[in-house]
Amino acid sequence: MCASGKYNSRGPALIPRMKIKHRIYYITLFSVVLLGLVATGMFQFWPHSIESTADWTLDKRSIHDAPLIRLPVSSPIPERGDLSCRMHTCFDVYRCGYNPKNRIKVYIYPLQRFADELGVPISSTGLSREYNDLLSAISDSDFYTDDVTRACLFIPSIDVLNQNSLRIRETAQALAMLPRWDKGMNHLLFNMLPGGPPDYNTALDVPRDRALLAGGGFSTWTYRQGYDISIPVYSPLSADVELPERQPGPRRYFILSSQTAIHREYRAELERLKEENGEALLLLDKCSNLSQGAASARKRCYKGQVYDYPQILQESSFCVVLRGARLGQATLSDVLQAGCVPVILADSYILPFSEVLDWKRASVVIPEEKLSEMYTILKSIPHRQVEEMQRQARWFWDAYFSSMKAVGLTTLQIINDRIYPYAARTYEQWNNPPVVKWSSVNSPLFLPLIPPRAPGFTAVVLTYDRVESLFRVITEISKVPSLAKLLVVWNNQNKSPPEESLWPKVSVPLKVVRTKENKLSNRFFPYDEIETEAVLAIDDDIIMLTSDELQFGYEVWREFPDRLVGYPGRLHLWDHEMGKWKYESEWTNEVSMVLTGAAFYHKYFNYLYTYKMPGDIKNWVDAHMNCEDIAMNFLVANITGKAPIKVEGPRASTFASLIWLSLTDTPPPPTQH
């Protein structure tokens, strides 16, 4: 009882004290957590300074909520712009530094509203939807960084896309107030509508010091080659109207003109062409019977007949793009989207992204003074080439014109390629649609000096009707140990190849490709059947080369995979007396090219010959059925900067040794190749 009484007497007093102790502990813990949450929330929503902003996105901040900056009248104004600027003089590449991904880092200034001392904004429109989309795309890309100290390139959040909406002086003052401006060094401005009435300058009139300009209307007078970037004038219709891709081929109209408000002299010339060529040319203009507004912008008329725009562009093979008040025209983007080949008549215009895009593959550029000859010029283009240009035009739009994101990221990629040229995109990557298969082709310019062992070579034999000599050539080539495949290019459309049972029996695959047209360029087409790196181009009458000599030529090519390695040699030289180039076909001690009637080369050059060789050269070769070997020699030499290699087969070396022994009593010196 005493023990029980002792416990009972202390119990009631002890339990309340334990509850008070726990209550204080939990209250203290809760207070600490609450204070932490409050502090975290205040930190998240407290305004940050320009230099320390951790994220850039228009979704989290409206332009109306951005801080207002008033510009004193005495604020400094940048210089007009240095026309002599180049990447090595006005851009600090050391800011970019080395990084494993070879990618520049781009910092976007936070949104701010700028106004003069009276509170009048520097822009009448604020932030346009197009510039909003552009900056958002960049902020979501791999180029973006939120760390200003790591940035290589700086983009202001000041919208200068349309000069018509800007106050020139005040906009320049706002640029100069940017914390990292430093006379515009490493800053990039985007502008699509430069100049204003009455002169309509072809570059942004806002003074900008050394800043790079991505401009939509450059001329040869204002474009700083290798520094500025020519960009397209974005068409708002691209976002509102979806044109399904149309297969290349003939269209209802041959030429179509859809622009409004063009110069009356151009309009008169187009009307004259319309009278001469009738229904082949459709000449549209603004509809006079429609009310102004968005609906009228999507309509075009001809003699009271109304057409939907830009849908009508898909009904023509060629679409005219004339200069207007400005050189750069949004019509160009509409035409490309329609898969219509643009016919550009705008003298001195720097075409968009022309630093990397080969516009000869997607457009026809005609001097303005030759507008009257436009129909004749376009009629001379082969149908197959027109189809290729239609396909290329649509692909250019999909890849580089279709959105502000495409425009912005293409611009940054061009700058990136300048800063990291060793990791730059190739011509093929910029210009070849995905349908062109390059994945299995390696440029020989980047192969090791002695390539790894390859599965031999593919012999490509061009033939027309010499079946007997063709079979002799096939029989001899089939004896070469390194031969992997025989590909016969049958260039005769009027006669079928011999039956399979008549062909020589060979131990390697033999494939016959029938061409659609009799062209010499068919021998250099990148056929899918060519799976080896090495190609032996050989005529169907080259019957004097033995299998040993061909094997020897292949071994030489393996040591020099970036060169033409051939047997018959030729010489070209300048004739001072005649004042022109001379082609020497006689046997001489000097050689400057080798004939592709019997020559080894890397299959990469088939792609260059087919897709990069200027079209007028290929057309001349096919029209004259001659000189394809000269064209290939000059192509390889221009790409590699190296001369071809002429080889002597073992038979020629043995013959030379016999002559040496008959004249001397000493062994001949070793033959060098």
Side-chain angles (χ1 to χ4, degrees):
M1 291 295 297
C2 293
S4 176
K6 184 177 180 182
Y7 173 81
N8 290 337
S9 64
R10 295 188 59 185
L14 180 61
I15 292 175
R17 284 199 296 268
M18 291 177 63
K19 288 183 177 180
I20 294 173
K21 182 178 180 181
H22 281 282
R23 186 181 300 130
I24 295 174
Y25 171 78
Y26 284 120
I27 291 175
T28 304
L29 179 62
F30 177 76
S31 301
V32 171
V33 172
L34 181 62
L35 288 173
L37 291 173
V38 172
T40 302
M42 294 177 65
F43 177 79
Q44 289 290 331
F45 296 100
W46 197 264
H48 297 283
S49 68
I50 291 176
E51 293 292 328
S52 62
T53 183
D55 191 17
W56 191 99
T57 171
L58 285 176
D59 296 333
K60 294 183 179 179
R61 178 183 289 179
S62 168
I63 184 65
H64 303 292
D65 300 328
L68 177 64
I69 307 297
R70 293 184 181 269
L71 302 169
V73 177
S74 59
S75 295
I77 300 177
E79 296 292 330
R80 181 72 181 83
D82 190 350
L83 287 177
S84 66
C85 270
R86 297 297 182 269
M87 292 297 288
H88 64 280
T89 59
C90 296
F91 193 94
D92 184 7
V93 296
Y94 296 105
R95 253 182 194 164
C96 305
Y98 168 78
N99 63 78
K101 294 184 178 180
N102 298 309
R103 185 179 294 120
I104 61 173
K105 289 300 179 182
V106 181
Y107 176 82
I108 301 176
Y109 285 96
L111 283 174
Q112 290 181 312
R113 292 178 298 149
F114 290 92
D116 61 16
E117 287 187 333
L118 300 177
V120 180
I122 64 173
S123 171
S124 60
T125 59
L127 194 71
S128 64
R129 183 185 72 175
E130 289 77 17
Y131 200 57
N132 184 337
D133 294 343
L134 176 74
L135 296 185
S136 296
I138 295 174
S139 68
D140 291 335
S141 73
D142 292 335
F143 292 108
Y144 176 72
T145 180
D146 56 13
D147 185 351
V148 70
T149 62
R150 295 180 57 211
C152 164
L153 192 66
F154 302 88
I155 298 180
S157 56
I158 302 171
D159 185 355
V160 295
L161 283 179
N162 185 354
Q163 183 177 314
N164 291 340
S165 64
L166 302 177
R167 299 171 66 189
I168 303 298
R169 175 187 173 88
E170 288 75 11
T171 302
Q173 290 177 321
L175 291 174
M177 288 190 67
L178 296 174
R180 300 271 174 159
W181 180 249
D182 189 22
K183 293 190 176 296
M185 187 80 74
N186 291 47
H187 281 67
L188 174 64
L189 305 178
F190 286 88
N191 169 253
M192 287 185 174
L193 298 178
D199 298 326
Y200 288 101
N201 292 336
T202 57
L204 181 67
D205 287 327
V206 175
R208 54 188 182 278
D209 281 330
R210 299 177 178 178
L212 289 87
L213 182 60
F218 279 120
S219 72
T220 53
W221 296 99
T222 56
Y223 179 66
R224 295 173 292 185
Q225 184 73 33
Y227 193 66
D228 292 324
I229 298 96
S230 180
I231 63 175
V233 179
Y234 180 71
S235 173
L237 291 177
S238 299
D240 300 334
V241 178
E242 182 177 351
L243 296 181
E245 186 171 357
R246 183 168 177 176
Q247 289 299 316
R251 307 285 171 86
R252 179 180 178 185
Y253 304 103
F254 185 63
I255 303 174
L256 185 148
S257 174
S258 62
Q259 287 174 263
T260 62
I262 60 177
H263 197 279
R264 60 178 178 273
E265 292 183 5
Y266 295 146
R267 176 68 64 180
E269 191 62 51
L270 289 171
E271 290 175 349
R272 187 187 67 78
L273 286 172
K274 170 68 176 174
E275 293 177 1
E276 293 179 355
N277 302 287
E279 296 299 321
L281 193 150
L282 179 60
L283 182 57
L284 303 177
D285 201 352
K286 182 186 295 185
C287 297
S288 57
N289 56 346
L290 296 178
S291 58
Q292 296 296 323
S296 65
R298 299 180 185 176
K299 301 292 181 182
R300 295 290 187 273
C301 291
Y302 175 70
K303 291 186 177 181
Q305 186 171 356
V306 181
Y307 298 87
D308 291 329
Y309 182 87
Q311 290 86 344
I312 185 60
L313 297 175
Q314 289 193 307
E315 301 299 323
S316 182
S317 297
F318 295 95
C319 295
V320 180
V321 180
L322 278 161
R323 72 159 66 223
R326 295 182 173 89
L327 272 177
Q329 296 291 315
T331 305
L332 176 59
S333 182
D334 297 335
V335 168
L336 294 175
Q337 183 185 16
C340 184
V341 179
V343 184
I344 301 168
L345 296 105
D347 293 352
S348 77
Y349 178 41
I350 303 297
L351 288 167
F353 304 132
S354 55
E355 182 175 337
V356 294
L357 301 187
D358 187 351
W359 279 97
K360 295 188 296 296
R361 295 174 58 174
S363 69
V364 180
V365 179
I366 299 177
E368 294 175 14
E369 64 179 12
K370 293 190 175 182
L371 175 58
S372 60
E373 305 173 33
M374 175 176 64
Y375 186 85
T376 305
I377 293 172
L378 298 181
K379 269 296 183 183
S380 67
I381 302 176
H383 295 297
R384 183 174 179 180
Q385 184 176 347
V386 173
E387 293 179 4
E388 292 175 355
M389 295 171 76
Q390 289 172 336
R391 187 180 295 107
Q392 189 76 5
R394 173 68 188 211
W395 184 73
F396 271 6
W397 184 84
D398 285 331
Y400 308 115
F401 285 70
S402 58
S403 64
M404 290 301 297
K405 175 181 179 179
V407 173
L409 298 188
T410 301
T411 301
L412 296 183
Q413 186 62 51
I414 291 174
I415 297 174
N416 195 91
D417 287 0
R418 294 175 183 175
I419 296 171
Y420 302 107
Y422 51 87
R425 299 182 69 186
T426 64
Y427 169 91
E428 291 75 22
Q429 290 172 318
W430 279 112
N431 291 279
N432 282 352
V435 294
V436 178
K437 299 176 182 178
W438 287 81
S439 57
S440 63
V441 181
N442 296 314
S443 169
L445 309 185
F446 304 102
L447 294 176
L449 184 60
I450 300 179
R453 291 191 175 275
F457 65 91
T458 300
V460 179
V461 188
L462 182 70
T463 188
Y464 187 81
D465 196 18
R466 294 182 288 206
V467 176
E468 182 179 353
S469 63
L470 169 65
F471 286 176
R472 291 181 62 185
V473 170
I474 291 175
T475 301
E476 192 62 35
I477 295 177
S478 65
K479 301 175 184 177
V480 182
S482 296
L483 177 68
K485 181 183 289 187
L486 270 161
L487 183 65
V488 177
V489 179
W490 189 266
N491 230 15
N492 190 340
Q493 289 76 46
N494 301 319
K495 182 178 180 180
S496 299
E499 295 181 6
E500 184 178 351
S501 60
L502 300 177
W503 288 80
K505 305 303 179 186
V506 296
S507 59
V508 297
L510 191 156
K511 177 70 180 293
V512 179
V513 176
R514 300 189 64 178
T515 60
K516 296 180 180 180
E517 296 180 77
N518 182 19
K519 294 182 177 181
L520 277 179
S521 297
N522 289 334
R523 75 182 314 159
F524 298 132
F525 188 80
Y527 298 101
D528 292 339
E529 289 78 5
I530 303 176
E531 299 175 346
T532 60
E533 291 182 342
V535 176
L536 169 64
I538 189 166
D539 289 340
D540 60 0
D541 61 346
I542 303 297
I543 58 177
M544 72 290 296
L545 289 173
T546 67
S547 59
D548 290 338
E549 290 169 336
L550 291 171
Q551 179 65 28
F552 176 69
Y554 171 66
E555 296 296 339
V556 173
W557 175 86
R558 281 170 51 79
E559 295 187 31
F560 304 96
D562 57 347
R563 302 199 193 195
L564 274 175
V565 177
Y567 299 87
R570 292 294 186 265
L571 175 67
H572 77 288
L573 66 163
W574 180 256
D575 191 326
H576 292 281
E577 295 182 0
M578 301 296 293
K580 61 181 181 180
W581 288 101
K582 178 181 178 181
Y583 179 78
E584 182 63 65
S585 59
E586 299 296 329
W587 288 80
T588 67
N589 291 327
E590 296 179 327
V591 175
S592 62
M593 63 179 71
V594 294
L595 300 187
T596 54
F600 288 92
Y601 61 89
H602 196 284
K603 70 174 179 178
Y604 176 76
F605 295 118
N606 279 343
Y607 287 83
L608 298 186
Y609 187 98
T610 303
Y611 298 112
K612 189 173 182 180
M613 178 76 76
D616 49 349
I617 295 178
K618 288 175 60 181
N619 293 340
W620 193 97
V621 167
D622 293 329
H624 294 78
M625 295 297 286
N626 203 355
C627 299
E628 84 286 1
D629 42 14
I630 298 178
M632 179 59 91
N633 271 268
F634 274 82
L635 172 70
V636 176
N638 274 282
I639 293 296
T640 64
K642 297 179 181 180
I645 296 177
K646 182 187 183 308
V647 293
E648 294 178 356
R651 184 170 57 181
S653 300
T654 302
F655 179 69
S657 299
L658 291 174
I659 295 177
W660 182 277
L661 287 172
S662 67
L663 297 176
T664 67
D665 294 328
T666 59
T671 302
Q672 294 184 357
H673 302 281

